[in-house]
Amino acid sequence: MQIFKSPVRDMQFVLHDVLRIGAEDIPGYRDLDRETTEAILEEAAKVAEGLLLPLNEVGDREGCRLENGVVRTPPGFREAFDAVREGGWTAVDCDTEWGGQGLPHVIHTAAQEAFVSANMAFNMYQGLTHGAYSAIRLHGTEAQKALYLPRLTTCEWTGTMNLTEPHAGTDLGIMRTRAEPRGDGTYAITGQKIFISAGEHDLAENIVHLVLAKIPGGPEGTKGISLFIVPKFLPREDGSLGERNALSCGKIEHKMGIHGNATCVMNFEGATGWLLGQEHKGMRAMFTMMNEARLGVGLQGYAQAEIAYQNARAWARERVQGRNPLPDRNAGAVAAAATAAGAADPLIVHPDIRRSLMEQKAFVEGARALAYWAATLIDRAHRKGDAEADALVSLLIPVVKGFLTDRGFEMTVAAQQVYGGHGYIEETGVSQFVRDARIAMIYEGANGIQALDLVARKLPAGGGRPFMAFLEHVKGFIKAHEEEDETLKVQVLDPLKAASKDLQAAAMHFMERAAKAPEDALAGATDFMHLMGHVCLGLMWARMAVAAHRALAEGRGDRAFLEAKLATARFHAARQLPATALHLARIRSGGEAVMALPAEAF
């Protein structure tokens, strides 16, 4: 049986002690005092733990069914979705103009974390709707906004994004879906899209599909792609629903995980659509929402690692196996009591189990801080029009999405390993976390594409200024705090400094080799993304360590909680940050070894 408790105290520590959101000059942040955010997060925890968690295994076991063209979601999903809607959780950071609460994106991010941990498949229905809302808000006409945004805000209508086609995955330039102008301002959309999450379901009155398609006569490749609003039911001017549009769900995919979310094949057979934004500018319209969307997927990576870690931790405390090789060394009261009561000790006393749990804990807590920091940068870019914040978060997003989902999946596997054979048995529930986490490495741009985006587009963007600004941010933080405490400097800040030098060396290697050996950067892209990811988490742990050290010095907060933060920061610096040297060595080895075999030799 799965367990989960929303880590509200950890969330609050990041928001207020590390990021100090209440002191930021971002509009709306001054209202985010500790009491306010705690009230929001505690309520989100009640929904996650009491409503969504009990449906997680139900959704995994029952899945979705396609019956006469309608997808039936798992038992309990509709009632839970209504409760989430009525509680206002779909509208946290939506504009007040359209019925939202107008809170900053960082609060939406924190609240969503609890929901994703408790039931990732369920939360995708509202998460995808948020993406459709953002696209229409940024690119829609006033009439389109008035019609769609209030209903997407409340999830009275839900939304999707239709990109992928059977013959074209990442390569959108070769898509075949067509949009024929009808002469009345509408288009006839014809084609097939696959892997459409929440493409059909029974949770909402209408489903608003955002569909990428090509208008005949437009430019070739991605420059000829346009974006269209194609609703399941055609709305009348007053928002009431008219006739069914010429679109249907051909089938739902049987897949590895997220069984509670319907992954659909969607057929458009001359369906009525309306242009969203400008002709042939569909990619631009889509990418304006990518930072938020990919942050959300990165969040899925560590949120699944969080629930997996909580379950593994509980199993390690309760499951007795073998004798403690270090009976007098930091066993803890729980382990000591179990040792005295029987012939075996709890798993948690064993050094290798402790190593695994520490790796999981260090990743999850560092990833949370990185995700929340990225959310504050999105808020700063959107609410203040800060171009530097926008450039920095655009640089970080491939790392947030790629690194956090790669490592998040690894941590769910590590949690499963703590269970031994019981982790492979479905009744313990831990295998679901592994299966659900796996998709986050693939959708919203597979992680190899994230790595290529980082090295080929984001690294050289603006003449490299955003990347240099990130390095200066790391250096500046180290310099500002290395005199505070010698132990902190040696055990946390110095390893971060060494890791940041590895990152700078890797970037310099790419620049030096760009003209004569471009394959070096392409072959080393994933290593660079992971190298930068380790530095990002190292920076987050340095910030958390400084915050914990100051709180202890000032006599604030829970001493055991703060000391645990410092111990985890030291662990991360000692055991995780050295990975940057490995990634740098791989990058320096170049692309020759990678490309040595001819294609036919595989």
Side-chain angles (χ1 to χ4, degrees), residues 373 467-484 493 496-497 500 504 535 539 542-543 546 550:
W373 181 41
F467 178 72
M468 294 307 298
F470 172 73
L471 288 178
E472 287 303 316
H473 180 82
V474 176
K475 293 176 184 177
F477 182 86
I478 294 170
K479 186 175 181 179
H481 299 285
E482 60 187 355
E483 301 298 328
E484 288 189 24
L493 297 179
L496 174 59
K497 182 184 292 187
S500 68
Q504 185 170 6
V535 173
L539 173 62
R543 293 179 70 170
V546 167
R550 286 184 172 179

Side-chain angles (χ1 to χ4, degrees), residues 13 31 43 76 115 118 131 145 148 162 178 215 239 309 361 375 385 395 407 426 436 454 465 553 568 573 587 591:
F13 175 73
D31 298 327
E43 287 303 311
F115 296 164
K145 293 177 186 178
Y148 291 104
N162 289 245
R178 291 290 181 264
I215 300 171
Y309 163 65
K361 177 180 172 65
L395 170 73
R407 291 289 289 162
E426 291 294 342
D436 285 356
L454 177 62
R465 285 188 295 275
T568 310
I587 288 167

Side-chain angles (χ1 to χ4, degrees), residues 162-167 172 174-180 188-194 211-216 224-226 228 230 266-269:
N162 289 245
L163 290 79
T164 308
E165 299 184 4
H167 66 286
L172 297 177
I174 60 174
M175 71 169 53
R176 296 172 183 161
T177 301
R178 291 290 181 264
E180 297 279 353
I189 312 298
T190 302
Q192 185 180 79
K193 300 289 186 176
I194 63 171
V211 183
L212 289 178
K214 290 186 174 182
I215 300 171
I225 293 176
S226 301
F228 298 88
V230 189
M266 298 301 301
N267 298 316
F268 299 88
E269 300 169 342

Side-chain angles (χ1 to χ4, degrees), residues 344-563:
D345 296 314
L347 284 172
I348 202 166
V349 306
H350 298 291
D352 194 58
I353 295 294
R354 196 73 66 87
R355 171 201 58 77
S356 177
L357 293 175
M358 283 294 284
E359 286 181 356
Q360 295 169 53
K361 177 180 172 65
F363 167 74
V364 168
E365 294 176 16
R368 175 179 297 115
L370 178 59
Y372 289 11
W373 181 41
T376 66
L377 292 172
I378 289 175
D379 280 331
R380 180 170 289 280
H382 290 177
R383 290 175 172 246
K384 285 184 68 71
D386 189 322
E388 291 184 2
D390 188 55
L392 180 55
V393 77
S394 294
L395 170 73
L396 293 174
I397 283 299
V399 180
V400 170
K401 195 280 182 186
F403 182 72
L404 295 193
T405 58
D406 276 352
R407 291 289 289 162
F409 174 72
E410 290 174 13
M411 293 303 103
T412 63
V413 173
Q416 184 185 39
Q417 187 74 12
V418 170
Y419 281 74
H422 291 276
Y424 203 66
I425 303 301
E426 291 294 342
E427 67 187 46
T428 62
V430 71
S431 73
Q432 183 185 351
F433 310 139
V434 177
R435 291 184 284 103
D436 285 356
R438 185 64 183 87
I439 186 58
M441 302 162 69
I442 298 172
Y443 59 20
E444 284 296 345
N447 285 357
I449 299 299
Q450 300 301 316
L452 293 175
D453 179 48
L454 177 62
V455 302
R457 294 180 65 245
K458 302 300 176 60
L459 186 60
R465 285 188 295 275
F467 178 72
M468 294 307 298
F470 172 73
L471 288 178
E472 287 303 316
H473 180 82
V474 176
K475 293 176 184 177
F477 182 86
I478 294 170
K479 186 175 181 179
H481 299 285
E482 60 187 355
E483 301 298 328
E484 288 189 24
D485 181 81
E486 182 64 20
T487 300
L488 197 66
K489 174 184 179 299
V490 171
Q491 296 184 345
V492 178
L493 297 179
D494 284 352
L496 174 59
K497 182 184 292 187
S500 68
K501 289 180 178 179
D502 287 343
L503 179 61
Q504 185 170 6
M508 290 297 295
H509 176 80
F510 284 163
M511 286 191 288
E512 291 168 359
R513 302 281 294 169
K516 53 187 174 183
E519 70 273 12
D520 282 6
L522 300 177
T526 292
D527 278 295
F528 187 85
M529 181 180 72
H530 279 249
L531 198 167
M532 189 166 174
H534 283 295
V535 173
C536 285
L537 260 61
L539 173 62
M540 293 301 103
W541 270 113
R543 293 179 70 170
M544 287 189 281
V546 167
H549 179 264
R550 286 184 172 179
L552 284 169
E554 296 167 8
R556 295 184 287 107
D558 182 326
R559 187 173 189 86
F561 174 82
L562 296 169
E563 288 179 344

Side-chain angles (χ1 to χ4, degrees), residues 260-312:
N261 192 271
T263 303
C264 302
V265 174
M266 298 301 301
N267 298 316
F268 299 88
E269 300 169 342
T272 298
W274 287 264
L275 183 67
L276 179 59
Q278 298 175 293
E279 284 190 1
H280 316 311
K281 303 296 182 184
M283 295 300 291
R284 179 187 300 174
M286 184 185 68
F287 276 109
T288 56
M289 52 182 274
M290 278 302 177
N291 281 351
E292 289 185 13
R294 288 175 173 169
L295 169 59
V297 177
L299 183 150
Q300 289 180 332
Y302 81 80
Q304 285 302 289
E306 169 69 49
I307 188 172
Y309 163 65
Q310 289 191 22
N311 282 265

